Amino acid sequence: MTDTLPTPVPGGLDAQRLREAYRTMRTIRAFEERLHEEFASGDIPGFVHLYAGEEASATGVCMHLDDRDSIASTHRGHGHCIAKGVDVKAMMAEIYGRRTGACQGKGGSMHIADLSKGMLGANGIVGGGPPLICGTALASKQQNTGGVGVAFFGDGASNQGTTLESLNLASVWGLPAIFVAENNGFAEATASAWSVAADNIADRAAGFGIPGVIVDGFDFFAVHEAAGEAIERARGGGGPTLIEVKFTRYYGHFEGDQQSYRLDEVKQARETVDCLKAFRSRVTGTGLLDEAGLESIDGEVFALIDAAVAEAKQAPRPTRSDLETDVYVSY
Ligand SMILES: Cc1ncc(C[n+]2csc(CCOP(=O)(O)OP(=O)(O)O)c2C)c(N)n1
């Protein structure tokens, strides 16, 4: 297969960028599926919330971002971290609570951060991310860096005062901020159809005088296109956008959740609309990439995840004296 593409490329992406998109989504899926198995063995401390099923959102958005840009995440943050370029081995070690982890093993799954990558942190506080992004977007605007801030948050978080206040501030200050509402249908066991007072979260954008867009979260290309428009507008001084991404999460709210509140929607989604399957069929069907190339990416990703788990299990745990480091920041 050559890099000469015979058919129109979706989203204007060339073969290399398409491979990148696939690798990111595959890495997130493999990371999460492996954690699902490993968590059951009891070696991983704390809570783990998996992002499997939602890969197209983090990937489609973060492919437009660079080092000037920052993102704020949620308790379901592994996918956002991977898509923003956080080292996968450091993430795995962090989740295992090891000293080699992204935060020296002190944060765990819900607090992975890497400021050098503009990843402000996974966040255990529902609705904690949007205010952070108003801060970084204001800084980008004042310093004229061209950078944007992206807040990912769930349907549950869309009802938090912090999120609504942030939408208002971002609008009145004309901030280069993008709000990505990841509506996976549930906040813990509460259906968004019951708890969100609007047909669509994106409809709320009108109340803040900003554009609101709804996208199919299983379709990487739809997310990529909507995010591209919003980010370009924000970089050009056009202010914030609210994007609602609709999909389903493949696992429970947290690992161990019995999921008695839902039926067979996951099985159906995996079979019919899965983002990786849809991506594969779109790019191979049009002759842009071939199956062999995608399978070799799969192999590389699985080897990376194997190595990440093996190294994390071998790595030392933080010591008692580590409790006293990284408490204060020196400027
Ligand atoms: C301020 C706050 N309230 C409640 C919780 C408990 N809690 C953790 S996750 C969660 C549900 C969040 O749902 P959503 O925002 O839709 O994200 P999802 O889990 O679906 O990705 C809740 C209520 C919390 N962590 N923080």
Side-chain angles (χ1 to χ4, degrees):
M1 169 129 278
T2 70
D3 278 4
T4 313
L5 302 172
T7 45
V9 185
L13 294 164
D14 63 15
Q16 193 191 328
R17 294 285 280 162
L18 289 171
R19 279 190 211 103
E20 223 177 275
Y22 181 77
R23 183 184 295 277
T24 302
M25 290 198 289
R26 173 56 75 201
T27 305
I28 298 171
R29 177 70 55 86
F31 192 93
E32 300 296 62
E33 289 191 332
R34 184 64 180 268
L35 274 183
H36 177 69
E37 285 170 25
E38 295 291 335
F39 191 83
S41 72
D43 284 348
I44 296 175
F47 268 93
V48 170
H49 306 79
L50 301 180
Y51 192 73
E54 306 189 13
E55 295 85 352
S57 174
T59 307
V61 173
C62 290
M63 279 192 74
H64 295 284
L65 304 181
D66 58 40
D67 289 349
R68 293 170 294 174
D69 306 318
S70 47
I71 66 167
S73 175
T74 70
H75 52 285
R76 200 175 300 290
H78 307 159
H80 306 135
C81 291
I82 291 172
K84 194 67 174 71
V86 180
D87 183 75
V88 167
K89 289 184 174 179
M91 285 178 61
M92 192 63 86
E94 186 60 38
I95 291 168
Y96 272 87
R98 305 302 166 124
R99 219 167 174 223
T100 51
C103 304
Q104 293 82 48
K106 298 178 189 179
S109 164
M110 259 191 286
H111 303 98
I112 302 174
D114 184 347
L115 299 189
S116 72
K117 301 283 181 194
M119 168 59 194
L120 301 183
N123 201 323
I125 301 170
V126 170
L132 299 181
I133 282 310
C134 287
T136 62
L138 178 62
S140 300
K141 184 171 174 169
Q142 299 287 75
Q143 292 163 8
N144 221 1
T145 64
V148 301
V150 179
F152 293 95
F153 57 96
D155 40 280
S158 76
N159 296 330
Q160 291 290 86
T162 47
T163 303
L164 301 163
E165 290 169 36
S166 299
L167 284 161
N168 187 63
L169 256 193
S171 178
V172 296
W173 285 350
L175 297 180
I178 291 88
F179 297 87
V180 181
E182 298 188 318
N183 186 350
N184 59 21
F186 288 95
E188 298 195 348
T190 304
S192 54
W194 185 85
S195 62
V196 176
D199 287 341
N200 304 293
I201 296 168
D203 295 345
R204 295 177 175 179
F208 297 101
I210 65 173
V213 194
I214 301 169
V215 283
D216 172 359
F218 291 110
D219 181 351
F220 162 82
F221 295 102
V223 178
H224 183 266
E225 188 183 342
E229 281 173 23
I231 291 167
E232 195 182 331
R233 182 164 50 246
R235 288 200 202 286
T241 301
L242 170 60
I243 301 174
E244 178 179 2
V245 184
K246 291 183 191 268
F247 42 28
T248 303
R249 61 169 149 74
Y250 281 1
Y251 292 104
H253 171 66
F254 58 94
E255 283 309 273
D257 177 2
Q258 296 302 310
Q259 302 186 71
S260 53
Y261 50 87
R262 62 178 180 173
L263 301 169
D264 60 354
E265 65 191 61
V266 173
K267 186 168 176 283
Q268 212 178 339
R270 279 186 185 269
E271 283 166 8
T272 57
V273 287
D274 179 71
C275 62
L276 277 157
K277 283 188 191 158
F279 184 96
R280 276 181 94 114
S281 104
R282 178 100 176 252
V283 297
T284 56
T286 50
L288 299 170
L289 298 179
D290 61 16
E291 285 289 347
L294 295 174
E295 268 154 33
S296 91
I297 293 175
D298 291 350
E300 288 166 18
V301 167
F302 295 141
L304 171 66
I305 302 297
D306 280 348
V309 172
E311 287 173 30
K313 285 181 174 176
Q314 295 292 320
R317 295 176 196 277
T319 60
R320 203 170 273 208
S321 64
D322 289 329
L323 277 175
E324 292 164 16
T325 62
D326 306 316
V327 178
Y328 298 105
V329 175
S330 310
Y331 293 99

